[in-house]
Amino acid sequence: MKILSGIPAAPGLVIGRAHVVRPVPAVDVHARHAGSSEQEKERLEQAIARAVARLDTLRGKANGATAEILVAQREMLDDPELKQGAYELIDTGLAAEAAVTRVAAGYAEQLASLPDAYLAERAEDVREAGRNIVAELRGVSSTVRLEQPAILVARDLAPAETVELDGGLLLGVITAEGSATGHLAIVAQGLDIPAVVGVAGVLKQIEEGTEVIVDGERGMITIAPDAASKAEAEAAIATAQRDRQDLESYRERPGVTADGVRIEVFANIASLAEARKAVEMGAEGVGLFRTELLAAQGLPSEEEQYEIYREVATVLGRPLVVRTFDIGGDKTVPGLDIPPEGNPFLGWRGIRLALDRSQELFLPQVRALLRVSVDHDIRVMLPMVVLPAEVEQARALIEQAKRDLERDGYRAGHVSLGIMVETPAAALTLDRFRGLIDFASIGTNDLVQYTYAVDRTNARVKERAQPLGDAILRLVERVGQTDMPVAVCGQLAGESEAIPLLVGLGVRRLSVAPARVPAVKRLLAGMTLAEMQAKAREALG
Amino acid sequence: MSDTLEQVVVLGSKSGLHARPAAIFVQKAKEFRSAVTLSKGGKTANARSILSVLSLGGEQGDSVLLKVSGEDAWTAMDALVNLLEKDLG
């Protein structure tokens, strides 16, 4: 048994047999060609064409990050300067293999000498392009293919070499070179398999078919493990798997405490893709749809918004809380002329801007939502509310939008109306909104910022803001005492220390990142309401 | 009739001229018949060659000199300036 350490590149633990990819024999950079220079150039030209064609085929199968890297790789193979440089060396008598390897090495050195670390890493891509062309000149493929489940052990893996690997046979990856931010790490993370890179000398230590344990968490590999280490790893794998399955089983369950009190677990989304993710993770609804991100390229028209909201609502098939455009502050919109302000977070943002410029902002959005609400459960949530008068004005505009729609021959449904509680003003006077709103949702990020008067992006002061400090807990308690459904849709809603306190203080809906939904449900199921209330009382002191 | 145009452009991509933006730029440059070069800090790169473009080591905010020469110089210049100024990631 031998334990080696490297750089953890993708988490996970796995036991399997090694498939070792030995590097191809080195190129003799002094080798000379026997025929004419013209023939040798022709050989090179054809090899490049084959390498490009091979890469194009791979690119069709690749996805995401890999496909992007391959675009650059293709350009490198097909590079006119690379070819020209090699031609010049062929004219001096060098063989095509030697010529292309030398030119690629020259560019690699230039890139490696750049101060930019990312570009310096591309040096390896250039050498790889050279190797691919050499492989074609020699008539061998450089693609790795697995016949049975295996842990791949290699010097390093180039993007092109990893494409054919996502067939379910790849259990883990160990490389002698590479970095934690390299391409292989990204691919392994995407495939959800453990990877340890930069294990110096690993190729000399592992034989084909040797049993190996890959611990991608700690960056350790165990070669030919003894019975005890193997049993230990197997137990750890089983535990991790049980935990995953256990978590999985919470996806489709409703959110309830251990004693059966219903706490809805919703998701926060900003796009259709996230809506799909929310459904997949078992969210019971969407508690915050951040619509301002739809306006990143300029305000969408009523019709465009109608299409997006309808599509999101259809994908969800469950309640959808849409926050009207929260523009201003740090979020600007191209084409929307908002004068610069000395204090944008205390300025013309959220509902203030939306109401003052209702023709451009509030009305088209509300019209789109009213139209979608004919067939779907749509709830409208207003951001940055501080006064009941703002809600009164919003309600009047919604009624006006309904009348206008009917006049224009559209059907308008019913939307319930709520507010974000993200200022101390709203939290302390929520009872004054009774009769005006159907629900309230605490936006903890802004509430913390406005309560402690701390800009959370300012490193000098951000420590002073305490998301679970007395001030916030007292405000949440106050909000929880209002006889109105209360949700939390900020970051706190997904945090394990915060959840018992929030629920203990009366919050009955948590809206979290889609991926957090199962974990939040599991956490809720592990405690009774009485226990959470006790925790909250203790925290309040 | 063939024109030679020059323009100084400030690189807009967050990552500067990293692999992806460089690949997009080179692919665009190949669409035109004009010869295109990019210069920075005394080094000049053939815009059709990703290797020489990467070797410039361009970073966001760097000024580069774009030189286009050929019959479609005007359209090429337009398209390429646009691309360099944009944030391609």
Side-chain angles (χ1 to χ4, degrees):
Chain A
M1 184 172 88
K2 188 157 223 161
I3 298 173
L4 298 178
S5 67
I7 305 163
L13 186 64
V14 72
I15 307 179
R17 304 225 164 255
H19 173 65
V20 185
V21 182
R22 306 259 169 219
V24 290
V27 173
D28 174 4
V29 293
H30 301 289
R32 304 184 71 78
H33 62 79
S36 74
S37 293
E38 290 318 306
Q39 280 170 337
E40 196 65 6
K41 288 181 193 167
E42 180 65 25
R43 256 185 85 221
L44 178 62
E45 170 113 47
Q46 283 175 7
I48 290 175
R50 281 197 303 276
V52 168
R54 195 185 292 274
L55 198 68
D56 282 342
T57 317
L58 287 177
R59 208 149 49 109
K61 297 184 199 167
N63 42 29
T66 310
E68 282 185 6
I69 294 175
L70 292 185
V71 174
Q73 283 261 304
R74 185 194 193 283
E75 287 301 325
M76 288 185 188
L77 288 175
D78 204 17
D79 195 289
E81 302 279 321
L82 178 70
K83 195 197 279 184
Q84 193 50 43
Y87 279 181
E88 283 164 19
L89 291 178
I90 289 173
D91 278 333
T92 71
L94 282 180
E97 288 89 342
V100 79
T101 303
R102 283 183 180 215
V103 178
Y107 277 107
E109 274 163 33
Q110 274 190 48
L111 289 182
S113 71
L114 292 173
D116 183 323
Y118 170 90
L119 284 175
E121 268 186 41
R122 300 281 80 67
E124 196 40 46
D125 294 357
V126 184
R127 290 203 182 89
E128 181 55 30
R131 279 196 291 271
N132 279 330
I133 297 171
V134 168
E136 293 296 339
L137 284 165
R138 289 172 169 174
V140 293
S141 155
S142 60
T143 320
V144 181
R145 218 183 276 268
L146 294 177
E147 305 293 335
Q148 54 198 18
I151 290 167
L152 197 65
V153 184
R155 191 175 56 82
D156 195 4
L157 284 177
E161 291 174 319
T162 59
V163 175
E164 302 260 0
L165 290 177
D166 31 349
L169 294 174
L170 186 63
L171 301 176
V173 177
I174 303 169
T175 63
E177 294 170 10
S179 67
T181 54
H183 171 72
L184 184 65
I186 298 168
V187 172
Q189 285 160 15
L191 294 176
D192 204 13
I193 54 165
V196 179
V197 301
V199 187
V202 68
L203 285 174
K204 289 198 199 81
Q205 308 272 359
I206 299 188
E207 291 300 318
E208 180 74 19
T210 313
E211 202 165 31
V212 199
I213 301 172
V214 184
D215 183 344
E217 206 81 54
R218 289 187 295 167
M220 312 276 276
I221 65 165
T222 311
I223 302 165
D226 59 24
S229 333
K230 206 176 151 184
E232 194 187 318
E234 276 165 352
I237 291 169
T239 309
Q241 196 162 7
R242 265 199 309 278
D243 187 62
R244 236 197 334 263
Q245 278 167 356
D246 181 50
L247 201 53
E248 199 82 354
S249 73
Y250 280 92
R251 278 197 199 185
E252 296 313 320
R253 294 192 209 172
V256 282
T257 61
D259 53 338
V261 179
R262 187 82 172 84
I263 311 291
E264 292 174 303
V265 182
F266 279 32
N268 299 336
I269 66 166
S271 65
L272 184 61
E274 286 182 329
R276 293 208 176 92
K277 179 91 179 163
V279 171
E280 188 197 324
M281 301 311 289
E284 301 174 75
V286 160
L288 171 62
F289 181 11
R290 299 187 176 94
T291 55
E292 55 280 356
L293 299 178
L294 305 173
Q297 316 289 336
L299 272 185
S301 67
E302 175 189 329
E303 220 45 48
E304 285 164 338
Q305 292 187 57
Y306 171 73
E307 288 303 325
I308 298 166
Y309 302 147
R310 201 182 47 136
E311 213 172 339
V312 168
T314 308
V315 162
L316 285 175
R318 48 200 92 185
L320 171 59
V321 178
V322 180
R323 181 173 73 186
T324 58
F325 293 128
D326 187 11
I327 296 166
D330 55 346
K331 297 168 232 165
T332 55
V333 168
L336 199 64
D337 189 26
I338 308 172
E341 299 181 315
N343 235 329
F345 278 101
L346 303 180
W348 210 25
R349 64 168 289 201
I351 194 68
R352 307 168 180 182
L353 182 68
L355 292 178
D356 291 352
R357 291 173 67 167
S358 58
Q359 293 296 336
E360 291 158 273
L361 285 164
F362 197 69
L363 282 170
Q365 184 167 34
V366 164
R367 281 171 61 105
L369 290 169
L370 285 166
R371 287 167 60 193
V372 177
S373 73
V374 173
D375 300 310
H376 299 277
D377 181 350
I378 304 288
R379 310 174 187 180
V380 173
M381 181 157 72
L382 309 173
M384 272 301 285
V385 168
V386 292
L387 296 169
E390 292 164 332
V391 180
E392 282 166 17
Q393 201 186 338
R395 285 186 82 100
L397 285 168
I398 293 172
E399 288 311 313
Q400 183 197 325
K402 267 190 199 165
R403 283 194 303 274
D404 291 351
L405 281 172
E406 275 152 20
R407 182 202 60 207
D408 297 346
Y410 291 105
R411 288 173 63 210
H414 170 76
V415 293
S416 54
L417 186 65
I419 63 167
M420 292 281 291
V421 176
E422 46 196 341
T423 59
L428 291 169
T429 62
L430 192 60
D431 55 315
R432 304 281 192 224
F433 292 78
R434 205 176 282 126
L436 285 173
I437 57 174
D438 308 299
F439 65 92
S441 186
I442 305 175
T444 50
N445 300 352
D446 271 337
L447 185 61
V448 169
Q449 150 162 304
Y450 288 127
T451 300
Y452 288 96
V454 160
D455 174 355
R456 58 177 177 265
T457 63
N458 183 337
R460 289 196 194 83
V461 297
K462 71 173 186 205
E463 294 303 322
R464 289 166 199 268
Q466 296 168 9
L468 287 177
D470 289 343
I472 298 299
L473 292 180
R474 286 187 195 182
L475 288 172
V476 174
E477 181 187 30
R478 186 72 172 254
V479 171
Q481 285 163 349
T482 324
D483 54 351
M484 191 178 301
V486 172
V488 173
C489 63
Q491 215 171 340
L492 271 189
E495 291 175 7
S496 353
E497 326 83 86
I499 291 170
L501 302 179
L502 296 172
V503 173
L505 291 173
V507 170
R508 290 297 173 265
R509 179 190 298 153
L510 299 167
S511 194
V512 301
R516 286 287 298 159
V517 169
V520 170
K521 287 181 178 176
R522 181 163 72 177
L523 203 132
L524 288 168
M527 284 178 97
T528 64
L529 181 61
E531 283 165 346
M532 299 195 216
Q533 283 166 337
K535 267 197 173 233
R537 266 197 309 277
E538 194 187 321
L540 278 169
Chain B
M1 124 127 198
S2 135
D3 291 297
T4 299
L5 307 174
E6 285 187 6
Q7 190 173 329
V8 174
V9 190
V10 176
L11 296 178
S13 285
K14 252 191 299 307
S15 63
L17 278 176
H18 277 189
R20 202 177 92 88
I24 295 171
F25 173 73
V26 168
Q27 282 173 339
K28 186 51 102 183
K30 285 180 177 173
E31 287 174 17
F32 300 99
R33 280 187 297 274
S34 292
V36 184
T37 63
L38 206 56
S39 312
K40 195 207 123 190
K43 279 200 274 187
T44 295
N46 172 0
R48 290 167 195 268
S49 160
I50 191 167
L51 294 176
S52 50
V53 170
L54 287 176
S55 301
L56 291 179
E59 289 173 25
Q60 187 179 35
D62 280 354
S63 296
V64 296
L65 178 69
L66 186 64
K67 213 173 192 172
V68 184
S69 158
E71 52 194 290
D72 53 4
W74 288 92
T75 36
M77 179 60 102
D78 219 40
L80 293 171
V81 166
N82 221 313
L83 216 53
L84 289 176
E85 285 177 343
K86 247 205 300 221
D87 183 5
L88 300 169

Coordinates of all heavy atoms in Angstrom, one line a residue, chain A residues 59 68 71-72 75-76 78-82 107 110-111 114-116 118-119 122 126, chain B residues 17-20 23 26-27 30 43 46 48-52 54-59:
Chain A
R59 N -15.9 18.3 -30.7 CA -16.6 19.5 -30.2 C -18.1 19.3 -30.2 O -18.8 19.8 -29.4 CB -16.2 20.6 -31.1 CG -16.2 22.0 -30.4 CD -15.2 22.9 -31.0 NE -15.3 22.9 -32.4 CZ -15.7 23.9 -33.1 NH1 -16.1 25.0 -32.5 NH2 -15.7 23.9 -34.4
E68 N -16.1 25.3 -25.1 CA -15.4 26.6 -25.2 C -13.9 26.5 -25.3 O -13.3 27.1 -26.1 CB -15.8 27.5 -24.0 CG -17.2 28.0 -24.1 CD -17.4 29.0 -23.0 OE1 -16.5 29.3 -22.2 OE2 -18.6 29.4 -22.9
V71 N -12.8 25.3 -28.7 CA -12.9 26.4 -29.8 C -11.5 27.0 -30.0 O -10.9 27.1 -31.1 CB -13.9 27.5 -29.5 CG1 -13.8 28.6 -30.5 CG2 -15.3 26.9 -29.5
A72 N -10.9 27.3 -28.8 CA -9.5 27.9 -28.9 C -8.5 26.8 -29.4 O -7.6 27.2 -30.1 CB -9.1 28.4 -27.5
E75 N -8.5 26.6 -33.1 CA -7.8 27.7 -33.7 C -6.3 27.5 -33.6 O -5.6 27.9 -34.5 CB -8.2 29.1 -33.0 CG -9.6 29.6 -33.4 CD -9.8 29.8 -34.9 OE1 -8.8 30.2 -35.5 OE2 -10.9 29.5 -35.4
M76 N -5.9 26.9 -32.6 CA -4.4 26.7 -32.4 C -3.9 25.7 -33.4 O -2.9 25.8 -34.0 CB -4.1 26.2 -31.0 CG -4.2 27.3 -30.0 SD -3.7 26.7 -28.4 CE -4.2 28.1 -27.4
D78 N -5.1 25.0 -36.2 CA -5.3 25.6 -37.6 C -4.6 26.9 -37.8 O -4.8 27.6 -38.7 CB -6.8 25.8 -37.8 CG -7.2 25.8 -39.2 OD1 -6.4 25.3 -40.0 OD2 -8.3 26.3 -39.6
D79 N -3.6 27.2 -36.8 CA -3.0 28.5 -36.8 C -2.1 28.7 -38.0 O -1.2 27.9 -38.2 CB -2.2 28.7 -35.5 CG -1.9 30.1 -35.2 OD1 -1.0 30.7 -35.9 OD2 -2.5 30.7 -34.3
P80 N -2.3 29.8 -38.8 CA -1.4 30.0 -39.9 C 0.1 30.2 -39.6 O 1.0 29.8 -40.3 CB -2.0 31.2 -40.6 CG -2.8 31.9 -39.6 CD -3.3 30.8 -38.6
E81 N 0.3 30.9 -38.4 CA 1.7 31.1 -38.0 C 2.4 29.8 -37.6 O 3.6 29.7 -37.9 CB 1.8 32.1 -36.9 CG 1.1 33.5 -37.2 CD 2.0 34.4 -38.0 OE1 3.2 34.4 -37.7 OE2 1.5 35.1 -38.9
L82 N 1.6 29.0 -37.0 CA 2.2 27.7 -36.6 C 2.6 26.9 -37.8 O 3.7 26.4 -37.9 CB 1.2 26.9 -35.8 CG 1.6 25.5 -35.3 CD1 2.6 25.6 -34.2 CD2 0.4 24.7 -34.8
Y107 N 6.1 29.0 -29.1 CA 4.9 29.8 -28.7 C 4.6 29.5 -27.3 O 4.2 30.4 -26.5 CB 3.7 29.5 -29.6 CG 3.7 30.3 -30.9 CD1 4.0 29.7 -32.1 CD2 3.5 31.7 -30.8 CE1 4.0 30.4 -33.3 CE2 3.5 32.4 -32.0 CZ 3.8 31.8 -33.2 OH 3.8 32.5 -34.3
Q110 N 6.8 31.6 -25.1 CA 6.3 33.0 -25.1 C 5.1 33.2 -24.2 O 5.1 34.2 -23.4 CB 5.9 33.4 -26.5 CG 7.0 33.9 -27.4 CD 6.4 34.5 -28.7 OE1 5.5 35.3 -28.6 NE2 7.0 34.0 -29.8
L111 N 4.2 32.3 -24.3 CA 3.0 32.4 -23.4 C 3.3 32.3 -22.0 O 2.9 33.0 -21.1 CB 1.9 31.4 -23.8 CG 1.2 31.7 -25.1 CD1 0.1 30.6 -25.4 CD2 0.5 33.0 -25.2
L114 N 4.4 35.3 -20.0 CA 3.6 36.4 -19.8 C 3.2 36.5 -18.3 O 3.1 35.5 -17.6 CB 2.3 36.2 -20.6 CG 2.4 36.3 -22.1 CD1 1.1 36.0 -22.8 CD2 2.9 37.8 -22.5
P115 N 3.0 37.8 -17.9 CA 2.7 37.9 -16.4 C 1.3 37.4 -16.1 O 1.1 37.0 -14.9 CB 2.7 39.4 -16.2 CG 2.6 40.0 -17.6 CD 3.2 39.0 -18.6
D116 N 0.4 37.3 -17.0 CA -0.9 36.8 -16.8 C -0.9 35.3 -16.5 O -0.6 34.5 -17.4 CB -1.8 37.2 -18.0 CG -3.2 36.8 -17.8 OD1 -3.5 35.8 -17.2 OD2 -4.1 37.6 -18.3
Y118 N -3.2 33.1 -16.3 CA -4.1 32.3 -17.1 C -3.5 32.1 -18.5 O -3.5 30.9 -19.0 CB -5.4 33.0 -17.3 CG -6.3 32.4 -18.3 CD1 -7.3 31.4 -18.0 CD2 -6.3 32.8 -19.6 CE1 -8.1 30.8 -18.9 CE2 -7.1 32.2 -20.6 CZ -8.0 31.3 -20.2 OH -8.8 30.7 -21.2
L119 N -2.9 33.1 -19.1 CA -2.3 32.9 -20.4 C -1.1 32.0 -20.3 O -0.8 31.2 -21.2 CB -1.9 34.3 -21.0 CG -3.1 35.1 -21.5 CD1 -2.7 36.5 -21.9 CD2 -3.8 34.4 -22.7
R122 N -2.0 28.6 -20.7 CA -2.4 28.2 -22.1 C -1.2 27.7 -22.9 O -1.3 27.1 -23.9 CB -3.0 29.4 -22.9 CG -4.2 30.0 -22.3 CD -5.4 29.1 -22.6 NE -5.7 27.9 -21.8 CZ -5.9 27.9 -20.5 NH1 -6.0 28.9 -19.8 NH2 -6.1 26.7 -19.9
V126 N -0.9 25.0 -26.2 CA -0.2 25.0 -27.4 C 0.7 23.8 -27.6 O 0.7 23.2 -28.7 CB 0.8 26.3 -27.4 CG1 1.5 26.4 -28.8 CG2 0.0 27.5 -27.1
Chain B
L17 N -7.4 39.4 -23.5 CA -7.4 38.5 -24.7 C -7.1 37.1 -24.3 O -6.1 36.5 -24.7 CB -6.4 39.0 -25.7 CG -7.0 40.2 -26.6 CD1 -5.9 40.7 -27.5 CD2 -8.2 39.7 -27.4
H18 N -8.0 36.5 -23.5 CA -7.8 35.1 -23.1 C -8.3 34.2 -24.2 O -8.8 34.7 -25.2 CB -8.5 34.8 -21.8 CG -7.8 35.2 -20.6 ND1 -8.1 34.9 -19.3 CD2 -6.6 35.9 -20.4 CE1 -7.2 35.4 -18.4 NE2 -6.3 36.0 -19.1
A19 N -8.2 32.9 -24.0 CA -8.4 32.0 -25.0 C -9.8 32.2 -25.8 O -9.8 32.2 -27.0 CB -8.3 30.5 -24.5
R20 N -10.8 32.4 -25.0 CA -12.1 32.4 -25.6 C -12.3 33.7 -26.4 O -12.6 33.7 -27.6 CB -13.2 32.3 -24.6 CG -14.5 31.8 -25.1 CD -15.5 31.6 -24.0 NE -16.3 32.9 -23.8 CZ -17.4 33.1 -24.4 NH1 -17.9 32.2 -25.3 NH2 -18.1 34.2 -24.2
A23 N -10.2 33.5 -29.5 CA -10.6 32.6 -30.5 C -11.8 33.3 -31.3 O -11.8 33.2 -32.5 CB -11.1 31.3 -29.9
V26 N -10.2 36.0 -33.6 CA -9.5 35.4 -34.7 C -10.4 34.8 -35.7 O -10.3 35.0 -37.0 CB -8.5 34.3 -34.2 CG1 -8.0 33.5 -35.4 CG2 -7.4 34.9 -33.4
Q27 N -11.5 34.2 -35.3 CA -12.5 33.7 -36.2 C -13.1 34.8 -37.0 O -13.3 34.6 -38.2 CB -13.6 32.9 -35.4 CG -13.1 31.5 -35.0 CD -14.1 30.8 -34.1 OE1 -14.9 31.4 -33.5 NE2 -14.0 29.5 -34.1
K30 N -10.8 36.2 -39.7 CA -10.7 35.3 -40.9 C -11.8 35.4 -41.9 O -11.7 35.0 -43.0 CB -10.6 33.8 -40.4 CG -9.3 33.4 -39.8 CD -9.3 32.0 -39.4 CE -8.0 31.5 -38.8 NZ -8.1 30.2 -38.3
K43 N 4.9 44.8 -29.8 CA 4.7 43.5 -30.4 C 3.6 43.6 -31.4 O 2.6 44.2 -31.1 CB 4.4 42.4 -29.4 CG 5.7 41.8 -28.7 CD 5.4 40.5 -28.1 CE 4.8 40.6 -26.7 NZ 4.7 39.3 -26.0
N46 N -0.4 38.8 -36.0 CA -1.3 38.5 -37.1 C -2.6 38.1 -36.5 O -2.7 37.1 -35.8 CB -0.6 37.3 -37.9 CG -1.6 36.8 -39.0 OD1 -2.7 37.3 -39.1 ND2 -1.1 35.8 -39.7
R48 N -5.1 36.6 -37.7 CA -5.6 35.3 -38.0 C -5.0 34.2 -37.2 O -5.3 33.0 -37.4 CB -5.4 35.0 -39.5 CG -6.2 35.9 -40.4 CD -5.6 35.8 -41.8 NE -6.1 36.8 -42.7 CZ -7.2 36.7 -43.4 NH1 -7.9 35.5 -43.4 NH2 -7.7 37.7 -44.1
S49 N -4.0 34.6 -36.4 CA -3.2 33.6 -35.7 C -3.5 33.7 -34.2 O -3.1 34.7 -33.6 CB -1.7 33.7 -35.9 OG -1.0 33.1 -34.9
I50 N -4.2 32.7 -33.6 CA -4.5 32.8 -32.2 C -3.3 32.8 -31.4 O -3.2 33.4 -30.3 CB -5.5 31.7 -31.8 CG1 -6.0 32.0 -30.4 CG2 -4.8 30.3 -31.8 CD1 -7.2 31.1 -30.0
L51 N -2.2 32.1 -31.9 CA -1.0 32.0 -31.1 C -0.3 33.4 -31.0 O 0.1 33.8 -29.9 CB 0.0 31.0 -31.7 CG -0.5 29.5 -31.7 CD1 0.4 28.6 -32.4 CD2 -0.7 29.1 -30.2
S52 N -0.3 34.1 -32.1 CA 0.3 35.4 -32.0 C -0.6 36.4 -31.2 O -0.1 37.2 -30.5 CB 0.8 36.0 -33.3 OG -0.1 35.9 -34.3
L54 N -2.6 35.6 -28.7 CA -2.4 35.3 -27.2 C -1.1 35.8 -26.7 O -1.0 36.3 -25.6 CB -2.5 33.8 -27.0 CG -3.9 33.1 -27.1 CD1 -3.8 31.6 -27.0 CD2 -4.9 33.7 -26.1
S55 N -0.1 35.7 -27.6 CA 1.3 36.1 -27.2 C 1.4 37.6 -26.8 O 2.3 38.0 -26.2 CB 2.3 35.8 -28.3 OG 2.3 34.5 -28.6
L56 N 0.4 38.4 -27.3 CA 0.4 39.8 -26.9 C 0.1 40.0 -25.4 O 0.5 41.0 -24.8 CB -0.7 40.6 -27.7 CG -0.5 40.8 -29.2 CD1 -1.7 41.5 -29.7 CD2 0.8 41.5 -29.4
G57 N -0.6 39.0 -24.8 CA -0.9 39.1 -23.4 C -1.8 40.3 -23.1 O -1.6 41.0 -22.1
G58 N -2.8 40.6 -23.9 CA -3.7 41.7 -23.7 C -4.6 41.6 -22.5 O -5.2 40.5 -22.3
E59 N -4.7 42.6 -21.7 CA -5.6 42.6 -20.5 C -6.7 43.6 -20.7 O -6.5 44.6 -21.4 CB -4.8 42.8 -19.2 CG -3.9 41.6 -18.9 CD -3.0 41.9 -17.7 OE1 -3.4 42.8 -16.9 OE2 -2.0 41.2 -17.7

